[in-house]
Structure formats: structure tokens, C-alpha cells
Amino acid sequence: MYNRSAEFYDAIYSFKDYEKEVAKLHELIQKHKRSTDNDLLEVACGTGGHIKYLKNDYSVEGLDLNPQMLRLARKKHPDVVFHRGDMVSFKLKKHFDAITCLFSAIGHLKTRRRLGLAVRNMSGHLKPGGVLIVEPWITPQQWRKRSVHANFVDQPELKIARMNISKSRGKLSVLDMHHLVATPNRVEHFVERLELGLFTQDEYLDAFRRVGLETSYDSEGLMGRGLYIGTL
Ligand SMILES: C[S@@+](CC[C@H](N)C(=O)[O-])C[C@H]1O[C@@H](n2cnc3c(N)ncnc32)[C@H](O)[C@@H]1O
């Protein structure tokens, strides 16, 4: 997962307005947080797109499972502490005023059981009054089978066409991401399979409420996918 594509991640997602997303995130954190400090953990931080702007207002640490993503994040943000860990099981000897898990990374957990464990684990790293914010993957109701998707990168020395057809298997969405990548040295093709759990709104809310978080749902969120917000 992301091993081959990590080095192209920022190019593929250059359309994402991380600065605008962080402005809204900051507003929500300050509205829902009852603890006093601003220590923030960005879980499944990827290459650190949100961290770039979160750094302005928070003392930020990042965590991700993928070593390639972490390598890129560390290179971009040498001043930030990054941890390698699984959101289901990581253990840090520190508690945070805010923990964020964005851009549907939570969907990678695939099962409702692992969703529950991750929310419990992240919540267990909050200070009293701290806030957990999770941007979900789409719900089974929103899922459109066999819809066709493409992203294109057109830089002077990098061209990418990434395409996929949405497929599903039971409660999993299965995305075979075909990448055709041209650099001055070669043109390569590779496929990365992403499998993401299609959880309902009730399943997300239940995971939050079970661990005692005072929970609300923002249907618009940062980019139309909604946000679950829980305060300890
Ligand atoms: C779609 S990317 C999102 C990256 C970043 N949050 C962003 O907005 O650009 C999903 C990220 O989740 C990470 N990830 C997937 N499963 C994970 C897990 N179980 N624990 C921690 N990170 C995970 C991947 O390595 C990847 O960096």
C-alpha cells in the first residue's frame, strides 16, 4: 500500500488545498477542545500535507504506518517528530490536546472491529478535554459501483495518468489504482490495490460514543466527506 506511489503522492494530490483544510480544522479544534494546550498528533499523516500548516498553531507530531511516506514527511519537515505506527495499536508516552486522522485514512482499517480499536487507541492518547477528529471514507450508501476515476499530472519532467474503476467485495471498496508514470529515464506502469472499509455513519458514531467521546458530525467537513468530532 503506497509503497510504489509514495514518491508521486504530492504530485497526484496537488489539487488538494491543505492550507484551506487546515484553516477549517483549526477553527473546529478550537471550538470543540476544552484542554488548554495545543499539542497535536496527526495520525496517518502521509507526506505531511496538513502538518505544513498545522505547525503554525500547534506543537505537532506525525504518525504513519508506511516507511516511504514517513521518509518523505521527515524530509519535508525536519523540525517535526514522526513515529512509525499502526493507528490501531501505536503507543506513545504522551497525551495530546488534538488528534486528527484525515483524508479517509481510517478506511484502510477495513473492518468495524479495527475501526473501534483505532478510535479507542487514539482516544486513549487524548488529554482530558482533548479532541479527536476523523475524516471518514464514503459510506455504503454513497458508494457507486463501477464508477470510473482518473487523475493526471502534467509537470515538465513528470507525467502521470492514474485510473481506477470502483469495485467492491462485501463491505470493502476495492480500488486497483493503475499508474502510468513517465520521467526522463523511463515510462513505467504499476498497479496498487487499495481496500477501504465502507462504514456507515452509525458505525463511526458508535465507535466514538463507545469510548465516551462527546461526539458530533459535520456533514461538509474539509472536502465534502464529512468529519466526526469527539471531545474527551
Ligand atoms: C490517503 S493517505 C492520507 C495521508 C494524509 N493524511 C493526507 O491527507 O495527505 C492514507 C495514509 O494512511 C496511512 N495508513 C494506512 N493504514 C494505516 C494504519 N493502520 N495506521 C497508520 N497509518 C495508516 C497510509 O500509509 C497513508 O499515508
Side-chain angles (χ1 to χ4, degrees), residues 39-72:
D39 293 332
L40 185 147
L41 178 67
E42 224 301 69
V43 170
C45 62
T47 63
H50 292 101
I51 285 177
K52 177 174 179 190
Y53 302 101
L54 285 167
K55 278 197 298 197
N56 296 335
D57 296 291
Y58 298 89
S59 169
V60 186
E61 299 188 17
L63 181 138
D64 200 281
L65 189 57
N66 185 293
Q68 308 299 333
M69 292 295 220
L70 282 172
R71 185 177 56 80
L72 294 161

Side-chain angles (χ1 to χ4, degrees), residues 1-2 9 18 44-46 50 64-66 69 85-87 103 105:
M1 197 171 56
Y2 300 105
Y9 186 87
Y18 284 100
C45 62
H50 292 101
D64 200 281
L65 189 57
N66 185 293
M69 292 295 220
D86 187 325
M87 61 178 114
F103 203 17

Side-chain angles (χ1 to χ4, degrees), residues 6-24:
E7 63 180 302
F8 308 119
Y9 186 87
D10 288 350
I12 291 170
Y13 291 110
S14 61
F15 65 86
K16 237 173 114 59
D17 191 341
Y18 284 100
E19 186 170 12
K20 191 167 155 215
E21 291 190 9
V22 168
K24 167 128 193 221

